[in-house]
Amino acid sequence: MELAYYSDYAVRLVNTEEPARNKDGLTSVDAVRDLFGGSQEAARRVTDADVTRFRSVRARLRAVFDAADAKDETLAVNLLNSLLLEFPVSPQISGHDFRDDEGNPLWHMHLADHPSNATAGYAAIAAMGLAFHLTEHGVDRLGLCEAPPCRNAYLDTSTNRSRRYCSDRCATRANVAAYRARKRLEADRSDSTGRTAVSAQRATTSGER
């Protein structure tokens, strides 16, 4: 089952908002439809009512990432479980690839889109994908970008659990900021050392007189 792929649904939805910058990209039906990517059939079910519903689900998914970032595993699991209970998944067998030259289908397990409304379908897929990632890799693999003021969500798939930023751009920005901070600290220390040396020299000279 391609559940690792479905976990990206949660990240895409959470990152439509940047709370620290007071930005919200989820303001229209078209913005919601864009979240479905290539699933055009599901996207066509989106209505005006789904914009508000998607924002509600987004807040609940971000709360899962917030809990994981705070190292509160139990809370993260409880919040995710509440989503799973409210938006159950519908597994479905699909054969969109071929396993041999004779055209025999390569069967896969997928999470079927919920038929009632677009929000229920998306939430079910996002929650199940995130649950798979959490149970398979650990709560600490759910991260929030450490490059302020970003705080975008990401899924850590690094081999040594070392990821700290949502993108290369944020990583570069954070590294540059850290480098400049070190340089400022070194300069301040150098100035302080210089001032101390001058003061000591003046004290010595005054004493000799």
Side-chain angles (χ1 to χ4, degrees):
M1 188 178 288
E2 299 175 354
L3 292 179
Y5 164 78
Y6 291 125
S7 60
D8 289 334
Y9 275 57
V11 173
R12 288 205 300 270
L13 178 53
V14 170
N15 290 346
T16 59
E17 182 183 31
E18 297 180 72
R21 294 190 175 103
N22 199 28
K23 292 183 178 180
D24 189 346
L26 207 58
T27 58
S28 66
V29 168
D30 286 339
V32 174
R33 286 174 176 162
D34 287 343
L35 289 169
F36 285 91
S39 182
Q40 296 303 313
E41 181 179 350
R44 282 193 292 270
R45 293 203 301 268
V46 177
T47 67
D48 289 334
D50 284 302
V51 177
T52 301
R53 289 194 291 250
F54 262 71
R55 287 177 178 173
S56 176
V57 172
R58 178 181 64 188
R60 295 171 67 182
L61 286 171
R62 176 169 281 279
V64 176
F65 280 92
D66 284 336
D69 185 63
K71 312 302 181 187
D72 193 337
E73 295 190 14
T74 301
L75 178 58
V77 169
N78 288 342
L79 291 171
L80 194 48
N81 271 337
S82 69
L83 283 164
L84 291 170
L85 287 172
E86 185 173 344
F87 302 104
V89 298
S90 302
Q92 184 179 49
I93 300 172
S94 176
H96 54 74
D97 294 319
F98 301 103
R99 69 170 181 265
D100 54 39
D101 294 336
E102 297 179 5
N104 294 310
L106 180 61
W107 301 112
H108 304 274
M109 285 294 294
H110 289 274
L111 301 182
D113 290 328
H114 200 289
S116 62
N117 62 71
T119 303
Y122 194 100
I125 290 173
M128 190 61 195
L130 197 58
F132 170 80
H133 194 92
L134 186 152
T135 55
E136 185 74 9
H137 304 291
V139 176
D140 60 334
R141 293 291 188 139
L142 278 58
L144 290 173
C145 187
E146 294 184 15
C150 179
R151 303 300 282 170
N152 271 352
Y154 65 83
L155 300 173
D156 186 0
T157 56
S158 64
T159 56
N160 57 355
R161 299 173 182 265
S162 61
R163 186 170 178 180
R164 298 167 56 198
Y165 308 105
C166 68
S167 64
D168 290 339
R169 179 182 179 184
C170 276
T172 299
R173 182 160 55 85
N175 289 334
V176 169
Y179 173 78
R180 290 174 176 171
R182 286 196 302 271
K183 287 299 181 182
R184 285 195 297 269
L185 181 60
E186 291 172 2
D188 290 343
R189 286 175 176 172
S190 178
D191 289 343
S192 177
T193 301
R195 287 193 297 269
T196 300
V198 169
S199 297
Q201 180 64 34
R202 287 175 177 172
T204 300
T205 300
S206 177
E208 291 175 349
R209 291 176 183 173

